Amino acid sequence: TLRVEKRAIRDARCSVFVSCRDRDTVIGNSGARSTIVPNGVDVDFWKRSSPERGHNTIVFTGAMDYRPNVDAALHLCEEILPAVRRSVPDARVLIVGRDPTPRLRAAGRKPGVEVTGFVEDVRTYLEPASVFAAPLRFGAGIQNKLLEAMAMEVPVVASPLAADGLRTEDGQRPPLDVAEDQDRFVAVLVKRLRDPDTAPDAAARSFVRDNFVWSRSGARLSRVLQEAAGNAETREVLCSPSL
């Protein structure tokens, strides 16, 4: 796949990536003309109505037939949560998303675990969350589930892989906790669950609003398409690495 991608990029006027990490992985410092058009969220939709977060509730969302999500959800239910519950006995995990695999449905019968399957509105599960956990161990691109949780002002604990997808072109890192391994994941989740401060995470929402909204990405993609169609006036600007 990497060889095919590099050949396509070599022949293209400009390449588009959703994250800096993906661009760095594929083209590195090759000098190929590229630009970043990140995924986004509708911040007017993904906003909370409650002034406080919930208690002892860890949430993970996504399509639960997608392999990276399935792996992360099982890791959370089968390995991370039992360790968390040794310190916070009433901690619980909500796995929210359509088409859970049979193994995930079985995990929903474990103490402290609920696997919802399809829900009409994910916001109703993010609203009472204490913390959002994203222990993704493989994958690519931008995890929109993190953007949605952050827009809802839920604190996030994420693996380095999940967090790095939200790194911006100017070097900003998302305001979340990065857990490099299982022990660190457990420790940070316990700390978050024990924190008496249940105020929403305003910094998380601000980061999303400033960097990951559909209207801004849509405008940028429109300009890139104009360039690809042969608008020489914008070509050099759009495909400069500093855009």
Side-chain angles (χ1 to χ4, degrees):
T1 301
L2 187 59
R3 287 196 300 269
V4 171
E5 289 174 342
K6 288 187 173 181
R7 185 165 61 247
I9 289 167
R10 182 193 62 207
D11 297 337
R13 285 181 174 172
C14 183
S15 56
V16 178
F17 296 88
V18 298
S19 73
C20 295
R21 178 189 58 196
D22 289 3
R23 180 181 64 184
D24 296 346
T25 299
V26 175
I27 66 175
N29 297 319
S30 69
R33 294 169 298 181
S34 66
T35 190
I36 305 295
V37 180
N39 291 353
V41 294
D42 180 349
V43 291
D44 292 328
F45 179 84
W46 295 98
K47 63 181 179 182
R48 66 185 304 113
S49 58
S50 169
E52 292 188 349
R53 293 179 287 111
H55 296 276
N56 295 337
T57 301
I58 304 165
V59 175
F60 178 67
T61 65
M64 293 304 160
D65 58 352
Y66 177 55
R67 281 190 62 206
N69 288 346
V70 173
D71 176 79
L74 289 170
H75 182 45
L76 180 59
C77 296
E78 297 177 347
E79 300 173 66
I80 294 175
L81 180 64
V84 169
R85 282 170 64 90
R86 286 196 284 271
S87 298
V88 186
D90 57 347
R92 63 176 186 147
V93 162
L94 301 180
I95 304 297
V96 182
R98 63 172 176 81
D99 300 327
T101 64
R103 187 174 168 189
L104 263 180
R105 290 197 296 270
R109 296 191 287 271
K110 294 180 178 294
V113 178
E114 179 183 349
V115 177
T116 68
F118 173 80
V119 298
E120 291 289 344
D121 192 341
V122 174
R123 293 174 300 178
T124 60
Y125 292 86
L126 290 173
E127 185 96 20
S130 310
V131 60
F132 187 95
L136 288 133
R137 297 190 284 192
F138 57 95
I142 290 176
Q143 301 294 326
N144 273 41
K145 59 179 69 65
L146 270 68
L147 298 179
E148 292 163 359
M150 293 170 70
M152 292 284 291
E153 301 179 72
V154 180
V156 170
V157 183
S159 64
L161 180 143
D164 195 43
L166 273 61
R167 173 169 49 93
T168 67
E169 282 192 273
D170 60 3
Q172 292 184 67
R173 298 279 178 173
L176 49 75
D177 292 308
V178 179
E180 297 83 2
D181 54 38
Q182 180 175 317
D183 289 343
R184 176 63 178 164
F185 229 104
V186 171
V188 177
L189 286 175
V190 168
K191 180 180 178 181
R192 283 290 188 179
L193 294 175
R194 285 178 167 173
D195 188 351
D197 183 4
T198 59
D201 189 345
R205 180 173 173 83
S206 294
F207 179 80
V208 173
R209 186 186 60 237
D210 292 345
N211 297 285
F212 297 96
V213 293
W214 283 125
S215 57
R216 189 178 301 117
S217 293
R220 174 172 287 199
L221 180 59
S222 178
R223 294 195 299 271
V224 170
L225 293 175
Q226 290 175 13
E227 185 278 335
N231 187 338
E233 184 176 320
T234 62
R235 184 175 304 160
E236 294 304 318
V237 174
L238 283 168
C239 290
S240 68
S242 61
L243 177 66

